[in-house]
Amino acid sequence: MSADLDQLENQSIYILREAYNRIDKLALLWSIGKDSNALLWLCRKAFFGRIPFPVVQLDTAMELPEVYAFRDRIAKEWDLNLVVEQCPPEEEMDQTLPPLTRAAARKTEGLKNLLRNDAYQGVMVGIRRDEQATRAKERVFSPRSLEGDWDVKDQPAEFWDHYKTRFPEGVHVRIHPLLAWTELDIWRYSQREGIPIVPLYFAKDGKRYRSLGEKNITFPVDSTASTIDEIIAELQVTRVPERAGRAMDNESEDSFERLRSVGYM
């Protein structure tokens, strides 16, 4: 098990260093969830204790209080170059989207504004293939238009850890260093490394968050797992999907696909 984690760690650090070496202007998106916290940790390992590019939170002002407290503490302790990008209001979203999906789309538009204003050529995102079926179609280095459009049928081939890192003008690249990880890998690695965890992931009164998001569209699931050992044991037997607490996923069959195609993480 430790050897598997070592291999995943080495692969992710290789991707991080490759991106930093090949792409001129980078930022890392930080959702403050378990995956992006693990990605921050890997960045600190890759670059000898200091992250050499901005860490961006797309803020809707709808995160849970524990998330904001965790963000402020870690940003200070790890000396992060934290950029908080305020997302547009829900009224400005595509009104043809279902209501909960419209709320989630705010971060998509916040990211578009960030790219327009700051001209980042590469954005690192802590998504995993096993988390959601649409994300299973992703590449490690995934080209997008500046508006975030994703053509799933026109993605570069990636063989034997060789990645396309040069793209034409008018394109930005999403870099996904955790794509090969699973939810269990993240928890085992967090336990091994002692990575700080938002307390909401641990059960309280029979509920815990499997996935963190805005408080108006994300809810806890039934669980008694109050330690990482108990979370790992639970994940080995549960049939409940990781995103069960994401209300958007249950609203419309194509909600997530529609958001992804126009730039959602």
Side-chain angles (χ1 to χ4, degrees):
M1 195 64 66
S2 181
D4 293 341
L5 292 178
D6 287 342
Q7 183 176 357
L8 288 167
E9 179 187 71
N10 291 338
Q11 181 186 38
S12 295
I13 287 174
Y14 168 73
I15 292 165
L16 289 165
R17 289 175 175 167
E18 185 77 356
Y20 185 64
N21 182 50
R22 300 284 186 175
I23 298 173
D24 291 334
K25 190 173 183 182
L26 284 174
L28 184 149
L29 293 187
W30 186 29
S31 71
I32 313 157
K34 62 185 182 301
D35 301 316
S36 63
N37 290 339
L39 184 54
L40 278 183
W41 185 270
L42 286 160
C43 282
R44 295 174 78 227
K45 280 198 161 187
F47 302 110
F48 308 103
R50 184 173 179 83
I51 300 174
F53 34 75
V55 174
V56 178
Q57 185 214 358
L58 302 172
D59 189 21
T60 60
M62 293 297 291
E63 303 290 350
L64 291 151
E66 293 90 340
V67 171
Y68 288 117
F70 185 90
R71 176 198 69 184
D72 294 344
R73 177 172 69 85
I74 294 299
K76 182 177 181 180
E77 289 179 4
W78 291 1
D79 193 24
L80 303 178
N81 177 11
L82 177 63
V83 175
V84 178
E85 177 74 23
Q86 299 299 329
C87 298
E90 191 174 331
E91 293 74 28
E92 295 180 14
M93 300 303 103
D94 180 357
Q95 296 302 301
T96 69
L97 291 169
L100 301 177
T101 307
R102 220 161 38 232
R106 294 179 62 197
K107 288 191 175 181
T108 302
E109 297 305 317
L111 178 57
K112 290 180 183 179
N113 290 342
L114 178 80
L115 292 169
R116 289 189 201 105
N117 296 333
D118 296 301
Y120 290 112
Q121 295 178 357
V123 179
M124 297 183 179
V125 187
I127 67 167
R128 307 184 328 269
R129 281 198 179 107
D130 75 315
E131 185 183 2
Q132 205 276 341
T134 305
R135 287 176 171 165
K137 303 172 186 177
E138 272 289 8
R139 297 291 191 267
V140 174
F141 285 78
S142 179
R144 302 288 209 281
S145 75
L146 291 181
E147 288 300 304
D149 297 331
W150 178 45
D151 185 354
V152 68
K153 297 179 181 178
D154 186 25
Q155 294 291 298
E158 294 180 337
F159 299 118
W160 306 295
D161 291 336
H162 289 281
Y163 303 112
K164 182 177 180 180
T165 57
R166 297 298 182 191
F167 296 94
E169 201 169 322
V171 170
H172 80 278
V173 185
R174 304 277 177 88
I175 301 113
H176 304 128
L178 301 180
L179 211 54
W181 296 57
T182 67
E183 185 182 10
L184 262 174
D185 293 329
I186 292 293
W187 280 112
R188 286 170 172 148
Y189 186 71
S190 297
Q191 181 183 54
R192 188 185 83 172
E193 300 288 308
I195 299 173
I197 301 292
V198 178
L200 294 166
Y201 282 111
F202 301 113
K204 183 178 180 181
D205 299 325
K207 298 278 188 179
R208 76 175 188 90
Y209 285 85
R210 282 273 298 278
S211 179
L212 289 182
E214 294 94 325
K215 59 188 176 184
N216 58 329
I217 56 175
T218 311
F219 305 98
V221 298
D222 293 336
S223 174
T224 58
S226 59
T227 67
I228 294 183
D229 278 330
E230 290 174 353
I231 289 172
I232 290 171
E234 177 185 83
L235 293 179
Q236 289 172 327
V237 298
T238 187
R239 299 181 66 85
V240 177
E242 182 177 0
R243 292 179 60 91
R246 297 278 191 159
M248 176 189 78
D249 290 20
N250 303 311
E251 185 174 40
S252 172
E253 187 175 347
D254 67 344
S255 289
F256 200 89
E257 188 88 33
R258 288 179 66 185
L259 284 184
R260 292 281 292 162
S261 68
V262 295
Y264 190 72
M265 283 67 71

